[in-house]
Structure formats: structure tokens, C-alpha cells
Amino acid sequence: MPTYTAPTKDLQFVLHDVLNITGDTITGYDELEADFTSAIFDEAGKLASEVLAPLNTVGDKEGCKLENGVVRTPTGFKEAFEQLKEGAWPGLDMPEEYGGQNLPYVINTAVGEMFAAANQAFGMYHGLTHGAASAILAHGTDQQKQTWLPKMVSCEWTGTMNLTEPHCGTDLGLMRTKAEPQDDGSYAITGQKIFISAGEHDMADNIVHLVLAKIAGAPEGIKGVSLFIVPKFLVDENGSLGARNGVSCGKLEEKMGIHGNSTCVMNYDGATGYLLGEAHKGMRAMFTMMNEARIGVGVQGLSQAEVAYQNALDYAKDRLQGRDVTGVKNPDGPADPLIVHPDIRRSLMDQKSFTEGGRAFVLWAATMIDRAHRESDKDADGLVSLLTPVIKGFLTDQGYDMTVKAQQVYGGHGYIEEWGMSQFTRDARIAMIYEGANGVQALDLVGRKLASDGGKHVMAFFEIVKSFIKENQDHDADFDRDFLGPLKAASKDLQAAGMYFMQNGTQNPNNALSGSYDFMHMFGHVCLGLMWARMGLAARKALAEDASDVAFYETKLATGRYYMARQLPATGLHLARIQSGAGPVMALEAANF
């Protein structure tokens, strides 16, 4: 059975050596001393590796079962959920007034990676609750916050998001779910939603659904959508659970992966709902949850790559196959271990350089979210908004690819269920689809985010890269050659792609949209290149200061050089594709496919 070890040392390196969080001016960061964050990560790591990871295979094999309207979760899930609640992990970064610990979001992100890597399906129950609670926190009335948040922050009650309907996914303006105003100020919600993760289960006393619906007489399309709080059980004035609401699970979907999470068809039959935020402004409120979820899904892609890599690495060191062409490395055995072979090392280095670079990327983004929320910094909010589709799309695409590479290390055993590697690939696959399929993320990036605020935020990103290169060049020829040179070249490719869109996308928008997916990946590579340059600088500094763990920092430098030499040049390929324009993509008539 696969195992998982939390990457606590690497998390500490990124937070303290690279991001220097205690030296940041963000409120609360001065309290994040290394000993403090280490203690949090160690405890989270134990829960992840000792409790959640062993249940990952259980959840995959057993799945969830719908019995008389109630979904039964896999063996051990309820007990693990109780341990999660007892440790107050769901409310790590939520406000103290609602029972949270008010730690920065960056800490929640680091812990979230561990939980998702150990058991992605399990982590979705409390992860979605966090998103729903965030939406209520941002858009709810004081009464709504007092009613729902304390129990959601503790995960006594869990939460969901209900967008998709059988006939509409991305185009939510087509939805048919209706909201009829009632005399008491509530609404009667009627309709059907599909693909609702954690829509029904047996681990919480109540489930608080956030449901998009259209009020009678609302404007057509997306401008007529409103958001409603629709609980499984109604709640009285004293906060006690009352009658069962008119919402039920009609079916559990049979899925490729994440079997331990209940993916439900939810039926609303005149269910009582309460307007969250303004009428006809539902998408604005829902996007509070969706943007958080998209970053969380990006972390899922990273996390599945990490756990798959860990197991592939162990296998490569243990499995004896063939001899090293440069000379025998295991003279006492019948063959050398797989890891001596260059092609296996190529695969493992692809995985290692991606996971470590991706980890730095999401933690850097999390600091921007903290700056936006804790300091009301609009520039930080704009930059992380620009990067959100990159985090979601690039990290999940690449994360899935890395699980396939890890599976490949096993050869035939990777295709056999008892080794457990296929689960990582199957679980990772959904991350490319939900919370906005990755093609939509690319369209959002190129069609909306690049031009946001007159292009201010993408120019700010380029300035970050330019300033880093300028501040650190001419100090060391090796660093310039291995890190700064590749980063500068990749950044120029990204700028050239943006210029192509400006010059050719106005008259024919398909010139931009045909290249959007390549642009998203190009942007992701540049972000990881920037992170590797920063990590390389931090590792060199630690070695210059006689760090005790020399091997760790030298390994970090070697891994960074690999990414810069073998992965970052992909920006050139993406640029060539973008500059080919819409012609090759749009050449065929639909009938000729």
C-alpha cells in the first residue's frame, strides 16, 4: 500500500528561507517563527500520514453508498473526521469570533497540501466547507454569520457549492433552478443540481448548501443569478436543528476517482433558502468560494504529484532491473536498482522539480492572498486574481502528468491496483475538470485577466521578474548562467506572446483564444522559473552561511538547475504555437473533423 510523508522540511524552507515570512509586514506574519510553524506542520503531518493516508485506499475501494437517502462514507472516515475536528484544523485561518484560530491563509495552504496528498477525497469534505464559510463571511448579514459560521468553522456542519445542472456547466446563465419569494423573506428553491461534492454524507449534523438559482422575473442570463443558503435541516432562532428541508440526494455518481467523496445529484423541491448577498448578484458572491476553490484545486494537482513521486522514488530505489551502463552499482545483487538508469532519473527529476517549484508557487500566492485580505492591498488582490487560473490550470495539468510519470516508473506494477499508483492518477484527473475546466481557465486568463485594470497586474508580474533579475545579476557567473539567464529568456517569451495577442487578437479574437492554453502553460513555467531562481538564491545563501544540512541545499540547487535547463525552455515551444495564430486551429469545417 502506498505511503505518504509530509514534506515539512521543504515547507519550512519555502516559508522561512525563500519567502522570509517573519520579515514580512503582513499582519500576523511576525508571529510565524520557525519553531511555531514547525510544530503546526509536524502535527498536521502526523495526522496526514498516520490517519488520513491509510484511509486513502479504503476510500478508493469502498466508495460511498446511498442508503435510504443517506450517504454512508467509507470505513474510518467518520472517526478521522472527528480527529480533524478535535484538532481544530478546519478553522485554522478563520476568525476567532466564529471559533477559528485566525492564522494566516499561507499556513492553511501548507496544511491543506498535506491533507490533500494524504487523502484527496477526504479533504474535500472540510475543504468545501471552508469555501462555503468564506462566502458567508464575505457576503452574509451579521445574523447569517452568527447562525452558520460557528458550526461550519468547527465542521459540526459542512458546506457545499451548487452550480452545475444537467443541461449547463460553464454557461451558468442557462440554469433553470428557481427561487420563489416567500412572505417571511425566505425563498422556495426548486430545481436539480449535479456533480455536488460532499452533497450528502454521514459525518456532520447538518449540511449547508450554497445554491445558485434565479428569482422569478430576474434578468436573463448570468445577470439574473442569485445565491442562496439552503440547509439540509432548518435552524431555529436558538440555533437548534429543526425540520428536514426539501433537499435530498437522488443519486451518487460513479466516478473515475475520488471514490471516497460523495458526488451527488441534489434535488430541491421547494426547499427553504435564504438570499446570500444581493439579488441577481449571485456570481459575485459565489466567486468568493470559487476562487478559493480554484487555488485549492491547484494544490490538489500538486499534492497528488507529490505523493505519487514519493512512492515512485521508493520503488526506483528498491526495484532491481538491469545494470548501469557505466558500471555495476550493486555487485552483491542480480541487478542494479532502477534509479541508476538515466531515463528513470529524468522522470523522477521532472516530478521532483515540479512539486518543489509548484509548492513555492502556491505558498507565494497564499502570501498575496494574506496581503490582500489582511492589509486590504488591491494590488496584491489583482495579482493573485491574475495568477489564479495559472495556479489552477497549470498545476493540475502538470500534476496529472507527474502522476502518470510516477506510475510509469513502476512498469507493469503501476497498472496493477494492489500497488495503488493508479489511484493517484485517477484522483488527479478530476482536478483538471472541476471548478472550471482548464480550457476555461486559459480563456479566463487571456480573455479577461490580462487586460484587467488596463493590464496593470500582468505588468506588475513582469516587473517582479525584471527586478529580481536586475537585483541579483553580476554577482556570480554560475547563478547568472544557471538561473537568471533561463528566467530572463522565458520571461521574454511570455512578453512576446502577450504582444502577439495585442497585435493580432483585436481584429480576430481567435488568434488570442487559440493560443490561450499554451499561454497558460507558458505563464506557469515562468512562475515556477521565478520560484526556482528564488529558491536557488536562498540555497546559495544558506550554504554561504555554513548551513548544517549541506546536502539539502545542494540538492535544492541541483533540482533547480534541472528545471531551468530541462523544463523552462518549453516556453519557446508554447510561443511558436501561439504565433502560428488561429489558422491551423480553425482550418477545418465542423463537418470535416
Side-chain angles (χ1 to χ4, degrees):
M1 184 174 72
T3 60
Y4 172 68
T5 301
T8 54
K9 185 176 181 65
D10 203 49
L11 287 166
Q12 288 286 91
F13 166 72
V14 174
L15 291 185
H16 297 286
D17 292 48
V18 180
L19 299 177
N20 186 27
I21 54 174
T22 54
D24 204 309
T25 58
I26 298 172
T27 301
Y29 272 37
D30 59 335
E31 300 175 1
L32 301 180
E33 296 291 343
D35 289 346
F36 179 60
T37 57
S38 178
I40 295 173
F41 296 158
D42 285 347
E43 288 303 310
K46 288 178 184 178
L47 181 62
S49 62
E50 297 174 8
V51 178
L52 303 185
L55 294 175
N56 199 38
T57 302
V58 175
D60 187 54
K61 293 185 182 302
E62 289 188 12
C64 297
K65 297 177 176 62
L66 178 61
E67 300 174 349
N68 299 318
V70 177
V71 171
R72 306 297 179 188
T73 51
T75 302
F77 270 45
K78 287 182 69 173
E79 293 77 9
F81 205 65
E82 288 302 314
Q83 286 187 249
L84 187 85
K85 292 192 294 184
E86 289 169 7
W89 295 107
L92 204 60
D93 65 329
M94 297 300 282
E96 289 179 310
E97 64 181 300
Y98 303 116
Q101 299 184 54
N102 201 37
L103 288 172
Y105 180 77
V106 70
I107 301 300
N108 189 66
T109 302
V111 170
E113 185 206 324
M114 294 186 239
F115 290 164
N119 195 324
Q120 179 177 329
F122 178 91
M124 292 169 65
Y125 290 99
H126 59 90
L128 286 161
T129 304
H130 187 284
S134 295
I136 294 173
L137 181 64
H139 302 282
T141 64
D142 289 341
Q143 182 180 3
Q144 287 174 334
K145 294 175 187 178
Q146 292 298 331
T147 299
W148 307 108
L149 289 183
K151 296 292 181 67
M152 294 178 73
V153 167
S154 68
C155 266
E156 291 177 68
W157 300 348
T158 59
T160 72
M161 57 192 300
N162 286 235
L163 292 81
T164 307
E165 298 183 8
H167 58 283
C168 71
T170 302
D171 192 355
L172 293 170
L174 298 176
M175 71 174 57
R176 298 171 184 161
T177 300
K178 297 180 180 179
E180 295 287 344
Q182 304 298 295
D183 292 339
D184 62 359
S186 67
Y187 291 78
I189 311 298
T190 301
Q192 185 180 79
K193 299 289 185 176
I194 62 171
F195 305 155
I196 309 306
S197 301
E200 170 61 37
H201 59 86
D202 58 358
M203 298 194 299
D205 296 333
N206 201 4
I207 302 175
V208 182
H209 304 286
L210 297 192
V211 183
L212 287 177
K214 288 188 173 181
I215 300 172
E220 291 296 319
I222 201 67
K223 295 181 179 180
V225 173
S226 300
L227 183 61
F228 300 88
I229 300 171
V230 188
K232 176 180 176 180
F233 289 98
L234 299 175
V235 177
D236 64 24
E237 294 180 356
N238 298 320
S240 301
L241 296 182
R244 176 68 187 260
N245 204 358
V247 52
S248 61
C249 173
K251 177 188 175 184
L252 281 181
E253 301 289 1
E254 296 183 17
K255 311 184 296 292
M256 176 179 176
I258 54 168
H259 297 153
N261 193 268
S262 54
T263 304
C264 304
V265 174
M266 301 301 298
N267 296 318
Y268 294 87
D269 185 14
T272 298
Y274 310 97
L275 182 65
L276 178 60
E278 299 178 47
H280 318 315
K281 303 289 185 181
M283 289 308 300
R284 183 170 64 182
M286 181 59 86
F287 264 109
T288 297
M289 184 174 185
M290 288 180 67
N291 284 333
E292 177 180 314
R294 285 173 176 172
I295 292 173
V297 171
V299 173
Q300 287 180 348
L302 163 66
S303 71
Q304 294 310 294
E306 169 67 28
V307 66
Y309 163 70
Q310 288 186 16
N311 285 275
L313 176 62
D314 288 344
Y315 187 83
K317 289 180 176 180
D318 184 66
R319 176 75 167 176
L320 302 181
Q321 289 283 283
R323 289 296 189 185
D324 188 337
V325 296
T326 64
V328 172
K329 295 297 187 291
N330 180 32
D332 296 329
D336 291 329
L338 278 172
I339 200 168
V340 305
H341 304 302
D343 191 61
I344 295 294
R345 288 189 170 225
R346 171 199 58 79
S347 175
L348 292 172
M349 286 297 284
D350 282 349
Q351 297 166 56
K352 179 177 175 63
S353 63
F354 166 73
T355 57
E356 293 179 15
R359 177 174 300 117
F361 182 26
V362 295
L363 291 175
W364 177 53
T367 65
M368 284 185 257
I369 293 174
D370 277 329
R371 185 173 297 281
H373 292 172
R374 290 175 170 244
E375 306 299 329
S376 300
D377 189 323
K378 292 184 178 179
D379 289 339
D381 187 56
L383 183 55
V384 81
S385 179
L386 169 72
L387 295 177
T388 294
V390 182
I391 293 169
K392 197 281 183 184
F394 179 73
L395 293 187
T396 59
D397 275 354
Q398 292 287 302
Y400 175 79
D401 286 349
M402 297 306 156
T403 66
V404 173
K405 289 178 185 288
Q407 189 181 30
Q408 188 76 7
V409 170
Y410 279 69
H413 287 146
Y415 200 67
I416 303 301
E417 288 296 334
E418 70 177 277
W419 289 86
M421 293 304 289
S422 75
Q423 184 185 352
F424 301 134
T425 301
R426 289 185 285 104
D427 286 357
R429 185 65 184 88
I430 186 57
M432 301 161 70
I433 299 173
Y434 60 14
E435 307 305 341
N438 285 355
V440 176
Q441 301 301 319
L443 295 178
D444 177 49
L445 174 63
V446 171
R448 294 178 63 246
K449 298 297 176 62
L450 285 185
S452 178
D453 292 330
K456 172 182 178 180
H457 306 299
V458 71
M459 294 307 297
F461 175 80
F462 286 133
E463 184 59 35
I464 289 171
V465 175
K466 180 180 177 181
S467 296
F468 177 85
I469 293 171
K470 185 176 181 179
E471 291 167 6
N472 295 287
Q473 66 185 359
D474 301 328
H475 294 310
D476 183 276
D478 289 344
F479 188 72
D480 285 357
R481 180 192 66 236
D482 297 340
F483 288 91
L484 297 186
L487 176 60
K488 186 175 183 179
S491 179
K492 285 185 175 180
D493 285 344
L494 187 63
Q495 292 177 65
M499 185 62 66
Y500 175 85
F501 291 154
M502 290 177 61
Q503 294 173 345
N504 298 275
T506 303
Q507 292 182 340
N508 182 4
N510 282 339
N511 280 322
L513 301 183
S514 295
S516 61
Y517 212 91
D518 281 286
F519 188 82
M520 180 179 72
H521 274 256
M522 181 190 290
F523 210 146
H525 278 300
V526 174
C527 287
L528 263 64
L530 174 62
M531 292 300 101
W532 270 116
R534 293 184 65 177
M535 287 190 285
L537 190 67
R540 285 169 51 84
K541 181 175 183 290
L543 290 170
E545 296 174 352
D546 298 322
S548 58
D549 194 348
V550 172
F552 174 85
Y553 294 106
E554 288 183 342
T555 299
K556 189 65 68 174
L557 282 168
T559 308
R561 291 188 193 102
Y562 179 90
Y563 192 88
M564 306 305 272
R566 300 274 304 204
Q567 295 296 317
L568 194 54
T571 58
L573 171 63
H574 291 301
L575 177 60
R577 289 173 174 168
I578 289 169
Q579 291 178 336
S580 73
V585 176
M586 306 302 293
L588 292 182
E589 296 294 331
N592 295 333
F593 273 86

